[in-house]
Each structure stands twice: as C-alpha cells, then as structure tokens.
Amino acid sequence: MESNIIERLFASFTELESAITKARSTLKTRETVPNEVVRRLESYDSILAKQRSLAVALCESIAQKNWDEVNRHVSLINGLSAMIRDDAKAILEALSAPASEPADSESENFC
C-alpha cells in the first residue's frame, strides 16, 4: 500500500510539472503578462524540485519507520502544494478579469 501512495505522489509531481508547462505556454500567447507573473511561475519549478527532494526523504523515513519524520515531510509537501495552488489561483483570477476593466498591465492585480 505504501508504494502505491508513493507512486501516486510522484505521479502528482509529474502532473504538476505538466500543468506548469501548460500555464507557461498559455501565458506566452497573451499580449501582456507582467514580469512578476512570469517570475512567480518560474518559482514553481524550484518548489516542485523541493517537493521531489522531500518525497525522496519521505521514502527514506518510511523505510526507517520514522513516523515523526514521515508526518513532517507529508506536511511540508502538502504545504508547498497549497502554496502553488493558491498562488496559481490568484494569477488565474487576475488574468480572467472581465475585458471591460483597464488593460493597463501596471494596474492589473496578480496577487
């Protein structure tokens, strides 16, 4: 059972990486995207790398039956996922703002 959960965890990282790539491609089709949004999207790559590193450590902790460390790693991985999800949601909401609003990229709220 543990290996199935770990396989799903690593599969979710692959799905997240795919979503980041798709978001990056979608943003390239827009006329104006603030540099801050691009930087935030790029930061997801480093967060994803950290999650993968934590998942490897999680596997080691499981093998050692160190349940306190397992819980800690799971919490960290979940927290990083929530951070990406919440930030991406804020970006999408800002990009989906009605077209009737000013198109000035300086005035767009991406947070």
Side-chain angles (χ1 to χ4, degrees):
M1 180 170 143
E2 290 172 0
S3 65
N4 186 30
I5 293 171
I6 297 301
E7 288 172 14
R8 288 191 343 222
L9 177 63
F10 279 97
S12 73
F13 296 151
T14 302
E15 289 175 25
L16 179 56
E17 186 173 40
S18 176
I20 293 168
T21 300
K22 184 176 178 181
R24 196 174 276 123
S25 296
T26 300
L27 287 177
K28 286 181 181 178
T29 66
R30 295 186 64 94
E31 287 184 31
T32 58
V33 176
N35 288 334
E36 179 59 27
V37 172
V38 174
R39 281 192 298 274
R40 286 164 63 182
L41 190 60
E42 289 171 355
S43 74
Y44 297 170
D45 293 325
S46 62
I47 294 169
L48 182 58
K50 181 62 178 175
Q51 285 182 302
R52 284 187 166 125
S53 173
L54 287 167
V56 169
L58 171 67
C59 292
E60 294 168 2
S61 295
I62 290 171
Q64 296 170 358
K65 299 188 184 323
N66 185 345
W67 305 121
D68 288 337
E69 279 299 295
V70 168
N71 288 330
R72 188 176 80 81
H73 285 98
V74 168
S75 294
L76 289 170
I77 291 167
N78 286 340
L80 290 170
S81 292
M83 188 170 61
I84 291 174
R85 182 191 65 240
D86 293 347
D87 190 58
K89 182 179 175 184
I91 290 171
L92 289 173
E93 287 173 356
L95 291 174
S96 299
S100 61
E101 292 183 11
D104 179 14
S105 64
E106 295 293 322
S107 67
E108 291 185 36
N109 181 12
F110 287 95
C111 324

